Amino acid sequence: MSYKFKMQDLNCANCAQKIETRLNHLDNVEAIVNFAQGQLTIETDQEVNPPLVNSWEKIVQEIEEGVALIPLFDMDGYQRPELASSNSDKKVIDQEGWRILITIPLFLFGFLLTNSISSQWLLVTYFALTYLFIGQEVLKTTWNKIKNKDWLEENFLMTIATLGAFAIGEYPEAVAVMLFYSIGEWFQDRAVEQSRQSIQSLMAIRPDFARVKQSDGSLSKVDPRNLLEGQEFVVAVGDKVPLDGQIIDGHSQVDHSAITGESLPQTLTVDDTIYSGSINLSSQLTVKVTKTFQHSTVSQIIDLVENASSKKAATEKFITRFSRIYTPIVVGLAVLLAILPPFFFNGITWSNSFYRALQFLVISCPCALVISVPMSFYGGIGAAAREGIMIKGGNFLETLTKVKILVLDKTGTITQGNFAIDQVHTLYLSKGQFLEKLAHLESQSHHPIALSIQEAYGQSLDPKRVQSVETISGKGLKGVVDGQSLLTGNKDLMDQHQISVPSLKTAATVVYLSIDQEYQGYVLIKDQMKTDSKSALKELHQLGISSTILLSGDNQATVDEIADLVGIDQAKGNLLPQEKMTELETILTNVQQSAPNNKASKVAFIGDGINDAPALARADIGIAMGAMGSDAAIESADIVIMNDSLAKLPRAIKIAQKTLHIAQQNILFALGVKVLFLVLATFGYSSMWMAIVADVGVTILAVLNSLRTLNQAK
């Protein structure tokens, strides 16, 4: 089972990593800490009860004191407390902010004392008290870390550096470093809060209530989670739609932007599907539930966004590994810098060497990387979600930037999947009789072609007239209608049953019909092209996709025509579902053989049908069309496009490219500045003031840069 917790007052990204590591060392526990969202997810088969949660919270607080675990689920015997403070009602200036504001004039007054007071003892006492006032939280945290044997982190480094400054008589500088460190941490926390607020705004699509009509005709508000499939609810003007459903009364303009990213409202009427999280704009609707809350569109989107951090990008994993070895190495170098120079260089005193080592410690904190890089990827996922593109993890976001070959399904991807009969050719039956027989056999199928035939017949169908219908994968149907044996499908099916039919050269889909092994005629069915397919494929090529390949079960003439119309490089038709997988395996093998050491070339598959699920799972990255796509396809995919528009794929690639670019900017910027200042500190060309800028200043700038991923303009 999966259990989620709000991690109240989690402000340390490095601590978040340590918490995740410690909890994962427990038996039967798999923990994921989402620092960007301040959330803990635990997978366990244990019975979760208050004592168990308290034991987890104790481990958390050993690493970062004051962090509370607030269960985001109902638990027997646990009274869930209200959050002490939420991001929306945080005070502009908190306790730490007031402490900083009070310390600034105290620090400036201390400078005046250095020029007017001759008593060294009084001067030391004044700065020591000021230091203890501003640094009390840092010192307290350091002491707790030492007790828990987890001392090698930024608070310890800052404590040693400032106490060391006191030891060599640099009292004002010691207070200044602690003051500016506190200022930097305060601004850093505000930046992290801003990021969390932006991310949580995505969660605002979750509906709070559903209006249900009572027996007396009045409407009452109920929890959407309590509604079952088939029940009815009313959506008033301005309401969020609580559950996915089918409209049974009314018509209205509906804003789907929170789900699909499309800004233009859509007019919906009776029998249309309406998605949870949408907003009703113009008139009241009555809707029948087709998906319960747990399986609704809005719940799927929220789960995708919340769980995206569990699949970390290679860049994120590198930073995690890097930070684990970086800090101990730098601390070791600082010790050597404090001890060795006086032995080898004339003119360098122990005091000089110690002062340089203290700067080295301050500069070495890896916070800028530990916070900003994961936040960049989470911001990119959030930006994509805002446009109706659900990316299931940072690893898929990064892989998307490496796609060079795009394999596409046809129906529902390139075309609308809205089939319509173009021509009817019969030998013996009238057109009406022909469609009547064909429609009754196809009534057992939900394939788009079958639905188009039923629509063309246009009359009610009697299921009692139909028996023993069997689907022949990739070829058609056979069954009994009115006591007669019917066979319908493509030419391969007719050839398989030794029924002679004409061979047609046409781009349309040909559906033949035989009755009692005698050929009766055929219908030509055409699928409608999506208006944005051609422009989307052109843009994909411009973004670096070197090859596009269309795989389809339709005849070769059809897929060739479509490929020419939209600009696809290769097209292969007449493929059964298993043959699509074989073709995809061949493509993947060829890519690997052509460049076995080149991990930069990836193969993506995009489709929407249930038969596309294996290919979506097998490709380097699977992309599903979500609005009309099957649940199996959405489950198997790594990326889900909610509005079925191929034009969203170039947009997703652009977001991925910018996100990776920002993450790389943060890495190069943070490491570059730190290396520069470490060199300056080593040779005595920096000061504690410069060191604190190299640490906290860089972190703030990197975090602010990460926020750009959340606000990517089209």
Side-chain angles (χ1 to χ4, degrees):
M1 291 288 291
S2 179
Y3 302 91
K4 294 185 184 295
F5 299 84
K6 172 73 177 176
M7 301 187 75
Q8 184 174 310
D9 295 330
L10 177 68
N11 296 314
C12 169
N14 196 29
C15 300
Q17 289 185 355
K18 292 180 181 179
I19 290 169
E20 182 174 291
T21 301
R22 281 278 297 277
L23 290 174
N24 278 318
H25 284 157
L26 299 176
D27 293 335
N28 199 23
V29 167
E30 183 178 341
I32 298 168
V33 176
N34 183 340
F35 175 75
Q37 200 173 348
Q39 193 173 97
L40 167 67
T41 302
I42 289 183
E43 294 274 352
T44 182
D45 294 331
Q46 302 176 67
E47 180 183 351
V48 176
N49 50 41
L52 182 60
V53 173
N54 291 337
S55 69
W56 291 339
E57 187 174 72
K58 183 179 179 182
I59 292 172
V60 170
Q61 292 182 347
E62 286 176 359
I63 298 171
E64 187 171 9
E65 188 178 10
V67 175
L69 294 185
I70 310 298
L72 300 178
F73 57 93
D74 295 327
M75 180 169 53
D76 291 339
Y78 184 86
Q79 184 66 35
R80 183 156 84 183
E82 294 296 324
L83 296 183
S85 58
S86 66
N87 286 335
S88 60
D89 58 9
K90 281 246 183 190
K91 295 179 180 179
V92 176
I93 301 179
D94 53 15
Q95 185 177 5
E96 184 66 18
W98 283 113
R99 190 179 293 123
I100 290 169
L101 288 177
I102 293 171
T103 303
I104 290 173
L106 290 176
F107 173 68
L108 295 174
F109 183 67
F111 269 116
L112 298 177
L113 289 179
T114 57
N115 297 323
S116 58
I117 294 180
S118 58
S119 172
Q120 188 71 7
W121 180 86
L122 186 59
L123 199 62
V124 172
T125 302
Y126 180 86
F127 278 110
L129 291 173
T130 306
Y131 172 82
L132 291 173
F133 178 71
I134 187 61
Q136 56 186 279
E137 290 299 322
V138 174
L139 296 171
K140 181 182 177 182
T141 301
T142 299
W143 175 245
N144 290 329
K145 296 283 187 181
I146 292 173
K147 287 194 299 182
N148 293 321
K149 300 178 181 179
D150 186 29
W151 52 270
L152 197 58
E153 48 84 53
E154 59 180 342
N155 289 284
F156 174 79
L157 299 181
M158 205 58 57
T159 299
I160 294 299
T162 51
L163 290 178
F166 260 102
I168 61 175
E170 298 288 347
Y171 317 124
E173 198 155 334
V175 174
V177 169
M178 189 62 78
L179 172 60
F180 283 103
Y181 174 74
S182 299
I183 293 172
E185 287 292 293
W186 190 85
F187 277 111
Q188 177 182 301
D189 290 346
R190 300 294 81 72
V192 170
E193 282 177 20
Q194 181 183 342
S195 175
R196 286 176 178 167
Q197 286 177 7
S198 298
I199 291 166
Q200 287 173 0
S201 67
L202 295 171
M203 305 299 108
I205 63 174
R206 190 192 298 274
D208 299 319
F209 61 86
R211 299 182 192 270
V212 177
K213 187 174 289 187
Q214 302 300 309
S215 56
D216 61 359
S218 63
L219 295 176
S220 64
K221 294 182 180 180
V222 301
D223 190 330
R225 290 173 292 188
N226 296 333
L227 291 185
L228 302 176
E229 190 172 329
Q231 287 187 269
E232 297 177 8
F233 60 90
V234 173
V235 187
V237 176
D239 279 359
K240 287 179 188 172
V241 180
L243 298 166
D244 291 15
Q246 184 181 37
I247 298 173
I248 59 175
D249 184 44
H251 67 276
S252 179
Q253 291 277 309
V254 178
D255 179 4
H256 280 151
S257 60
I259 306 300
T260 65
E262 295 299 318
S263 57
L264 292 177
Q266 185 178 358
T267 300
L268 299 182
T269 187
V270 175
D271 292 335
D272 285 338
T273 297
I274 190 167
Y275 298 110
S276 54
S278 305
I279 298 175
N280 185 18
L281 298 179
S282 57
S283 62
Q284 182 172 292
L285 298 171
T286 303
V287 181
K288 181 175 68 175
V289 177
T290 56
K291 288 186 179 180
T292 58
F293 186 83
Q294 183 182 359
H295 301 100
S296 66
T297 298
V298 70
S299 293
Q300 290 182 41
I301 291 173
I302 290 172
D303 286 343
L304 286 174
V305 175
E306 286 183 342
N307 296 325
S309 63
S310 65
K311 301 180 178 71
K312 295 183 178 179
T315 304
E316 292 180 87
K317 292 179 180 178
F318 163 75
I319 292 302
T320 301
R321 294 192 301 267
F322 177 81
S323 64
R324 288 174 184 167
I325 62 173
Y326 166 80
T327 302
I329 289 174
V330 176
V331 170
L333 291 175
V335 172
L336 294 177
L337 184 60
I339 297 172
L340 296 181
F343 289 108
F344 295 99
F345 300 98
N346 293 327
I348 298 181
T349 65
W350 287 103
S351 178
N352 294 145
S353 184
F354 190 54
Y355 183 67
R356 295 179 187 181
L358 296 178
Q359 296 174 45
F360 210 86
L361 288 175
V362 174
I363 297 167
S364 68
C365 294
C367 298
L369 296 172
V370 174
I371 295 176
S372 65
V373 172
M375 195 168 287
S376 298
F377 281 96
Y378 203 83
I381 291 168
R386 190 177 288 124
E387 297 194 23
I389 306 165
M390 301 299 121
I391 301 176
K392 295 184 179 180
N395 54 337
F396 304 125
L397 194 72
E398 187 166 1
T399 301
L400 193 57
T401 66
K402 302 175 183 177
V403 171
K404 299 300 178 185
I405 297 176
L406 178 63
V407 183
L408 306 98
D409 176 50
K410 179 182 74 69
T411 305
T413 304
I414 301 296
T415 62
Q416 295 179 11
N418 294 331
F419 290 85
I421 290 181
D422 186 54
Q423 296 179 40
V424 179
H425 290 264
T426 69
L427 294 182
Y428 311 111
L429 301 174
S430 68
K431 180 179 176 180
Q433 292 172 325
F434 184 92
L435 287 176
E436 181 183 8
K437 296 284 188 182
L438 187 58
H440 273 82
L441 180 59
E442 295 283 5
S443 66
Q444 302 294 309
S445 172
H446 297 289
H447 190 281
I449 288 178
L451 296 177
S452 69
I453 292 171
Q454 295 169 45
E455 184 178 352
Y457 176 56
Q459 299 181 40
S460 60
L461 299 169
D462 184 0
K464 295 179 181 178
R465 296 171 59 184
V466 186
Q467 297 89 34
S468 305
V469 175
E470 179 185 343
T471 300
I472 304 167
S473 181
K475 294 184 179 180
L477 298 170
K478 69 177 181 179
V480 176
V481 177
D482 297 332
Q484 295 177 303
S485 177
L486 269 64
L487 191 68
T488 182
N490 58 24
K491 190 174 186 299
D492 288 343
L493 180 63
M494 297 295 155
D495 291 343
Q496 181 180 324
H497 287 78
Q498 298 178 342
I499 299 172
S500 178
V501 298
S503 181
L504 303 174
K505 291 184 178 181
T506 174
T509 298
V510 183
V511 178
Y512 298 95
L513 175 67
S514 75
I515 299 177
D516 293 333
Q517 289 293 106
E518 185 176 0
Y519 170 62
Q520 298 294 322
Y522 63 85
V523 294
L524 297 181
I525 299 175
K526 287 187 176 181
D527 192 1
Q528 308 301 308
M529 294 291 297
K530 289 185 178 180
T531 56
D532 57 7
S533 293
K534 184 174 182 178
S535 60
L537 285 160
K538 181 179 180 181
E539 190 173 3
L540 286 168
H541 279 104
Q542 293 171 345
L543 288 171
I545 303 295
S546 59
S547 178
T548 50
I549 303 170
L550 179 62
L551 302 181
S552 176
D554 280 350
N555 63 71
Q556 191 64 46
T558 299
V559 295
D560 283 342
E561 181 183 43
I562 289 174
D564 289 338
L565 283 173
V566 298
I568 291 176
D569 301 318
Q570 301 177 48
K572 295 186 178 181
N574 301 312
L575 297 175
L576 298 174
Q578 61 268 29
E579 291 174 333
K580 281 188 183 181
M581 274 297 296
T582 302
E583 289 291 336
L584 179 61
E585 290 284 1
T586 301
I587 293 167
L588 289 165
T589 301
N590 290 340
V591 170
Q592 181 61 31
Q593 290 177 347
S594 63
N597 298 320
N598 182 12
K599 296 182 180 180
S601 294
K602 299 295 182 181
V603 177
F605 181 90
I606 181 166
D608 75 317
I610 191 169
N611 60 337
D612 293 326
L616 288 166
R618 176 63 186 91
D620 292 324
I621 187 162
I623 305 164
M625 293 296 192
M628 298 295 289
S630 70
D631 289 342
I634 294 171
E635 184 69 25
S636 302
D638 307 312
I639 296 174
V640 181
I641 296 175
M642 297 305 298
N643 73 341
D644 283 353
S645 171
L646 191 61
K648 290 289 185 180
L649 184 54
R651 181 66 190 136
I653 292 176
K654 288 179 180 178
I655 290 173
Q657 289 175 342
K658 184 171 181 179
T659 299
L660 189 61
H661 181 62
I662 288 174
Q664 291 169 343
Q665 278 181 348
N666 285 336
I667 293 172
L668 293 175
F669 173 66
L671 288 180
V673 172
K674 284 185 179 291
V675 168
L676 172 62
F677 277 87
L678 287 173
V679 171
L680 292 175
T682 301
F683 292 100
Y685 291 108
S686 69
S687 65
M688 278 288 193
W689 299 64
M690 295 170 66
I692 201 70
V693 169
D695 174 35
V696 180
V698 168
T699 300
I700 293 172
L701 291 175
V703 169
L704 291 175
N705 191 41
S706 299
L707 295 180
R708 293 169 52 218
T709 60
L710 276 165
N711 300 295
Q712 299 190 43
K714 291 187 178 181

